[in-house]
Amino acid sequence: MNPSLPINGQTQVFGIFGYPVKHTFSPHMHNAAFRQLNLNARYLPFEVNPNQIGEAVQAIRALNLKGLNVTVPHKTAVIPYLDELTPIAQCVGAVNTIRNDQGRLIGTNTDGHGFVRSLQEFGFTPQNKNILILGAGGSARSIIAALGQEHASRISLINRTQEKAEKLLEELRPMLPEVELNLGDLEQERDQNIDLLVNTTSVGMKPGESPVDLGCFLRVRRVADIIYNPRQTRLLEQATELGIACVNGIGMLLHQGCLAFEFWTGQSAPVEVMQQELLNQL
Ligand code: ATR
């Protein structure tokens, strides 16, 4: 791999706002990408206390930082301080990437489209597909928005707390008028042709636990779990046992980063180098 260019007066500064931010993989991925493409740039972690998020966003302009990622708990809080949101960020109502265009701050969200890109691993495109989502939190929201923008025909949502799923569907429906968005029901989904089942809940992070028994469904063609640690959750293990193609959450993590890199630099991300770096860190 290329050595990093030395830091000098022209080094461009990128980074991530989070709280906490200690465990982020993003600096590894992005600094590897800068090295690979010989860019005079660095990516740093910034631990931003939630009561100072406004000042931190103002500092992007004041310090001429070129691009930021935004992670928990700041993804919604940054919005009032930005100048513009992309359509996907408007739809999701959360921002994970900010670009500084000469003082004009543009917010986008690459989580959902990063997820969609990770499905290319098994040749899946959302257009005209029937998709079942488990969970109704922030990840589900960004994934549904991206699947909708990519013309999925039907998306059903199942969540432990049904009211949360209903509320999320109500909020998303006006923004995705061409998608049939339903509250799912395990009994009803049983006989459906499900092109893709996605776990967005945290169930599966502990060994042996699974959000659903795949044996309950007659036809599930593919499974995605956004959990990346462990790499093989019980859900993915069961999918493999049943011969169903599946992916874990590493691809989403990788591709949200690649899309952020592209949003900042206008250059194609060096995906393989970023993937290698990510796998080294996990
Ligand atoms: P994220 O930003 O990763 O989506 P989140 O917004 O906290 O995280 O959402 C977590 C999701 O996992 C929710 O859908 C949550 O269900 P509830 O809305 O009922 O809380 C789901 N979840 C978390 N723990 C769960 C559990 N033990 N069983 C079922 N669902 C669970």
Side-chain angles (χ1 to χ4, degrees):
M1 185 183 293
N2 296 337
S4 296
L5 289 177
I7 293 174
N8 59 22
Q10 288 165 52
T11 302
Q12 298 195 323
V13 181
F14 294 78
I16 181 165
F17 290 169
Y19 190 83
V21 78
K22 287 187 181 65
H23 303 292
T24 176
F25 299 106
S26 297
H28 299 282
M29 276 200 290
H30 288 291
N31 284 315
F34 292 144
R35 269 199 307 277
Q36 177 69 16
L37 299 183
N38 229 13
L39 299 178
N40 186 357
R42 290 291 194 283
Y43 184 107
L44 303 169
F46 295 105
E47 190 165 85
V48 177
N49 192 297
N51 63 27
Q52 289 180 304
I53 190 63
E55 287 147 278
V57 178
Q58 301 292 8
I60 300 174
R61 294 191 193 86
L63 301 175
N64 197 20
L65 308 180
K66 295 299 177 188
L68 272 302
N69 281 132
V70 181
T71 188
V72 182
H74 303 311
K75 287 184 178 188
T76 307
V78 295
I79 290 178
Y81 305 100
L82 303 178
D83 298 303
E84 189 183 325
L85 294 182
T86 60
I88 184 76
Q90 285 174 33
C91 187
V92 178
V95 158
N96 80 332
T97 304
I98 299 170
R99 183 174 70 214
N100 180 0
D101 278 353
Q102 295 174 332
R104 192 170 166 74
L105 302 184
I106 303 163
T108 192
N109 193 313
T110 66
D111 288 329
H113 285 292
F115 171 77
V116 171
R117 255 208 212 180
S118 77
L119 303 176
Q120 288 174 357
E121 206 173 290
F122 51 31
F124 182 88
T125 51
Q127 192 163 12
N128 299 325
K129 298 293 194 322
N130 182 25
I131 298 164
L132 176 61
I133 309 272
L134 309 178
S139 304
R141 180 185 284 265
S142 54
I143 285 171
I144 294 169
L147 290 169
Q149 285 196 343
E150 300 277 338
H151 311 292
S153 53
R154 179 172 180 268
I155 302 175
S156 305
L157 194 53
I158 295 180
N159 193 44
R160 175 179 61 179
T161 314
Q162 189 169 315
E163 305 80 68
K164 252 173 87 178
E166 281 166 357
K167 185 164 178 283
L168 179 58
L169 290 170
E170 257 169 49
E171 286 169 16
L172 287 172
R173 271 192 196 109
M175 287 180 276
L176 302 168
E178 280 156 30
V179 188
E180 189 190 329
L181 288 173
N182 303 308
L183 192 63
D185 171 290
L186 273 182
E187 266 310 299
Q188 244 172 31
E189 299 299 326
R190 218 186 103 79
D191 310 326
Q192 293 280 334
N193 245 327
I194 299 171
D195 296 302
L196 175 70
L197 180 147
V198 188
N199 176 40
T200 74
T201 76
S202 45
V203 183
M205 291 171 94
K206 294 193 198 120
E209 64 176 22
S210 181
V212 78
D213 177 6
L214 286 177
C216 293
F217 298 95
L218 294 182
R219 279 183 299 270
V220 172
R221 293 182 195 281
R222 297 177 192 80
V223 172
D225 198 328
I226 69 163
I227 294 172
Y228 53 83
N229 186 15
R231 291 187 193 190
Q232 171 114 331
T233 58
R234 175 65 200 128
L235 180 70
L236 297 184
E237 216 171 71
Q238 195 186 18
T240 307
E241 285 160 14
L242 293 171
I244 302 170
C246 57
V247 289
N248 64 18
I250 295 178
M252 177 176 177
L253 188 60
L254 169 67
H255 288 290
Q256 64 75 29
C258 294
L259 290 170
F261 185 92
E262 290 169 9
F263 187 69
W264 295 324
T265 65
Q267 298 193 37
S268 295
V271 181
E272 273 143 43
V273 167
M274 292 171 79
Q275 182 176 36
Q276 197 48 57
E277 194 62 32
L278 182 58
L279 293 174
N280 291 345
Q281 298 303 324
L282 276 170

